[in-house]
Amino acid sequence: MSNRVVCREASHAGSWYTASGPQLNAQLEGWLSQVQSTKRPARAIIAPHAGYTYCGVDIYRTPLYDLRIDQKIYGELWKTGMFERMSLQTDEDEHSIEMHLPYTAKALESHKDEFTVIPVLVGALSESKEQEFGKLFSKYLADPSNLFVVSSDFCQWGQRFRYTYYDESQGEIYRSIEHLDKMGLIKKPPTFSECSVFYMAITELQKNGMNMSFSFLNYAQSSQCRNWQDSSVSYAAGALTVH
């Protein structure tokens, strides 16, 4: 067996975000300094990135420092037979996980040798599979030493996305999109697989008497669509707290 460490490079550094460690550190410090803390620590958050597969690398690289994969939990999940491996190339082409890694590294900088990460990529799932994975992850969500970061876009509107639903009664197109998004935010379970799995995990814990609350914190669109040639991506952020 080879002892070579497999490292997942920060393949989007230099395009989606700066590849300069000092510059990225300064940006993150500036953004994080503007954050208002919640009353209690969040157990999970939903935040935007700009079949289930599981990547078998050892290290996720960021311009700040490397993040280590938790090999124990990796092994537990792999033994369930519910996951697939994806190639390193596929993982590096995917940005939804990577966009959160610098924030994770910065937020936990004072504990950088004390925590590990478990990256999981979510594809399209049936409702029964969402329930199955939700039940599996509920065990880890119940553990206060774990933090879940759910990376998800909401509505992707425009001809390039092949989705142009427009409810004229809401006013301009971007207002119709916002109305649709906010309907999705309050729908239970949400209509996005990554969020639905998270919701199923919450539901499983609620069945066992755990008291939790979830609130959406912010909503934004990449641009305001006003005609059929425009396009936008919607973003929402929220946090789960356990009482």
Side-chain angles (χ1 to χ4, degrees):
M1 180 179 292
S2 172
N3 292 323
R4 182 176 68 90
V5 174
V6 180
C7 180
R8 197 278 197 189
E9 296 294 334
S11 57
H12 292 78
S15 56
W16 287 71
Y17 60 95
T18 178
S20 165
Q23 185 178 359
L24 180 60
N25 184 66
Q27 290 175 341
L28 291 171
E29 285 186 348
W31 293 326
L32 291 171
S33 68
Q34 301 175 46
V35 175
Q36 294 182 348
S37 61
T38 57
K39 293 182 180 179
R40 52 174 58 86
R43 183 70 55 87
I45 62 173
I46 292 179
H49 55 257
Y52 262 87
T53 52
Y54 191 84
C55 183
V57 298
D58 301 287
I59 291 172
Y60 266 52
R61 180 148 289 158
T62 80
L64 300 180
Y65 59 89
D66 293 345
L67 304 179
R68 292 178 295 110
I69 303 300
D70 191 310
Q71 296 297 330
K72 177 179 179 295
I73 296 181
Y74 173 92
E76 292 175 1
L77 295 177
W78 183 249
K79 286 179 182 178
T80 65
M82 296 167 61
F83 297 84
E84 301 172 11
R85 296 182 190 270
M86 64 179 168
S87 69
L88 183 61
Q89 182 62 55
T90 298
D91 190 4
E92 291 181 347
D93 287 343
E94 170 60 47
H95 70 279
S96 58
I97 293 174
E98 182 179 333
M99 298 307 294
H100 284 278
L101 298 180
Y103 273 99
T104 301
K106 182 60 182 176
L108 297 175
E109 187 174 31
S110 61
H111 302 281
K112 67 179 183 179
D113 296 322
E114 304 169 17
F115 75 96
T116 53
V117 297
I118 294 290
V120 178
L121 182 64
V122 184
L125 298 172
S126 65
E127 184 175 346
S128 62
K129 283 294 184 181
E130 290 171 352
Q131 293 174 342
E132 188 177 351
F133 281 106
K135 185 173 183 178
L136 172 66
F137 284 118
S138 66
K139 163 189 172 182
Y140 300 98
L141 184 59
D143 186 341
S145 66
N146 293 330
L147 170 67
F148 277 61
V149 178
V150 182
S151 179
S152 178
D153 287 341
F154 279 74
C155 181
Q156 296 180 318
W157 194 96
Q159 295 182 38
R160 68 190 182 100
F161 297 122
R162 298 182 181 179
Y163 183 78
T164 55
Y165 174 81
Y166 175 31
D167 180 358
E168 294 184 5
S169 69
Q170 298 300 319
E172 295 197 68
I173 293 174
Y174 73 90
R175 294 192 181 279
S176 171
I177 295 171
E178 181 175 358
H179 175 73
L180 182 67
D181 284 332
K182 291 188 174 178
M183 289 290 289
L185 293 179
I186 62 175
K187 180 178 174 62
K188 296 182 179 182
T191 54
F192 312 92
S193 287
E194 57 270 45
C195 293
S196 294
V197 169
F198 176 51
Y199 175 78
M200 294 300 181
I202 293 173
T203 301
E204 188 68 25
L205 293 181
Q206 288 175 329
K207 289 178 183 177
N208 296 324
M210 184 170 286
N211 186 19
M212 296 171 288
S213 62
F214 183 84
S215 59
F216 280 95
L217 305 176
N218 202 3
Y219 171 82
Q221 296 176 1
S222 61
S223 62
Q224 292 187 337
C225 295
R226 300 176 186 273
N227 59 62
W228 296 106
Q229 286 69 49
D230 291 341
S231 65
S232 72
V233 179
S234 305
Y235 305 107
L240 174 79
T241 55
V242 179
H243 304 283

